[in-house]
Amino acid sequence: MADQEETFAIQNSPGGSDSRELQSDNKPEKQNGTSGKSPSSQTTYIQQGMEGIKVYLHERELWMKFHEVGTEMIITKAGRRMFPSFKVKVTGLNPKTKYILLMDVVPADDHRYKFADNKWSVTGKAEPAMPGRLYVHPDSPATGAHWMRQLVSFQKLKLTNNHLDPFGHDASTGRSGQAFISSHAGCERQIILNSMHKYQPRIHIVKADENNGFGSKNTAFCTHVFPETAFIAVTSYQNHKITQLKIENNPFAKGFRGSDDMELHRMSRMQSTKEYPVVPRSTVRHRVGSSHSPFNGEVQGMATPSTMSSQYSQCENGVSSTSQDMLPQSSSYPLPHEHGQEYCIKRKVDDDCHSGEHSYKKPYLESSSSEEDHYYRPVGYPQSLSLTSAPYRSESSQRQACMYASSSQGAEPVPSLEDISCNTWASVSPYGSCSVTTMQPMERLPYQHFSAHFASGSLVSRLGGVGGHASPQLGESHHTAMYQSSMTHQTLGRQCSPGAGIQSPTAGLQGNEYLYAHGIPRTLSPHQYHSVHSVSIMPEWSENS
DNA sequence: TCTGCCACGTC
DNA sequence: CGACGTGGCAG
């Protein structure tokens, strides 16, 4: 349904949506050219437009509240929406250029968690992730003007633990599944996750111009990661504080709010059997579990916000030209360097942000300012990645990729459009960061790593990879290609945006290959690591078991 | 641990 | 009104 998101829209436009506009214009810019912005940095034109792109997380404060406690997202067979919803404000796009906005959720690390004693802790190694699925925003492809006009909401995305359903719709329950499908040509899908595993949502902005067609060599895209949106997937809430936050903030859970009256009523009904004091349930629970702050700071397993850098934004820009993919993802291990942040992050936030609590690092300066809610993370980095580097990853990555692919995908061998497009890869890098760097050898990775954690895969890679075809060269590519398959651009285009008619090429992200890193043993070569950008940002979450 | 069903809310 | 989104709870 529509969602209209909330109204905040930034600028809003009432009509909003409208458009998708015409495509007509898009072309003008073609790559570089015109657009003006010069690339700043290094990059080639590819990025051109990507450099100035900024993405602000909407309602960051709310996200931070959850994050501080240790965000949990329910996953069900039928698919459950995330709450808080992932909504962003995007600026810096070329109004006439078309872009595809998509989201994915990648493993934040390779651990399995358990919740005991009011806190999360690592219990073991993560299960191999399934192939990741991409959730392409229904408006894609659309012009920069369209995306910037109002908040871009990914609230319809659903998380599921149903590995069997390739399409993201679940037959079992019936409800949701179908709806999905029908809605947009199947674009929407549910993202499959494993319970008790930590994940990091990411948003990717892919230029859909002809020039950048996926297939083409230069697909420009950038990835933004908001560490504060990381969460642990669960089939039922573990931490009562989270339950409480959900109830208090999610309109659909209003029925569970303790307003006295209601509570009483409810209680009586539901629990007729039990008797209860008057306390609202929530309250009750609360107390019980409450953890006060299990996580806070450190919590082991979870991330703590504070530490995190949420603030950073990370981004990756990739270009895909050939080989580039870069980032493999490495798995979750810590990479040595991660610079991710640096590069990418620019952060700003604070102002807006603050959640009040800690201040997270706000290292960066920018601030944006204007918008309130959104915090943004800049992204851009100039860099494009070069694909080059990618080559290395290949092996490991490949394998991994394959594995994943196979496993999960099993269901869908070749994906049909849908699949492909939507599901595809999995990548890993959570935090990642900016991958921009790509290849570079280590240097780039400044990050620190906390220990370990993630690897990140980069989407970029995939995108860049796009080249899946394109750049076969790298070993990776292949793999990627395999699973990822080939997404073709078209696919995306079609499915997702029917209307749009995108030129095919552009549309698709196909190429992306993200690999997955996680499960893998760290085989990645150093290079890979570099590429990865991962950043691990959150120490807390890190593993520690 | 996960699933199904429920009441209750939003849209 | 009906479809759908929520968490609780029983199984």
Side-chain angles (χ1 to χ4, degrees), chain A residues 334-342 440-449 525-536:
Chain A
L335 310 181
H337 11 347
E338 340 183 345
H339 46 323
Q341 317 180 348
E342 309 180 353
Q440 313 215 1
M442 337 239 122
E443 337 174 347
R444 298 182 151 230
L445 315 169
Y447 272 22
Q448 78 165 18
H449 29 13
S525 57
H527 305 53
Q528 301 186 348
Y529 282 62
H530 319 60
S531 32
V532 173
H533 27 334
S534 53
V535 173
S536 19

Side-chain angles (χ1 to χ4, degrees), chain A residues 293-340:
Chain A
S293 35
F295 295 37
N296 283 332
E298 50 294 31
V299 172
Q300 339 192 82
M302 304 283 295
T304 331
S306 31
T307 12
M308 315 226 352
S309 38
S310 33
Q311 332 195 5
Y312 318 139
S313 40
Q314 321 174 337
C315 22
E316 313 176 281
N317 297 315
V319 172
S320 43
S321 7
T322 18
S323 20
Q324 327 204 353
D325 320 200
M326 351 222 147
L327 328 154
Q329 40 250 337
S330 35
S331 18
S332 353
Y333 305 86
L335 310 181
H337 11 347
E338 340 183 345
H339 46 323

Side-chain angles (χ1 to χ4, degrees), chain A residues 10 32 82 92 127 234 276 294 300 320 327 338 376 409 478 480 498 520 532 544:
Chain A
I10 315 186
N32 34 351
M82 290 197 293
E127 295 185 19
V234 298
Y276 241 74
Q300 339 192 82
S320 43
L327 328 154
E338 340 183 345
Y376 79 69
Q409 293 198 348
H478 317 33
T480 35
I520 323 168
V532 173
N544 11 251

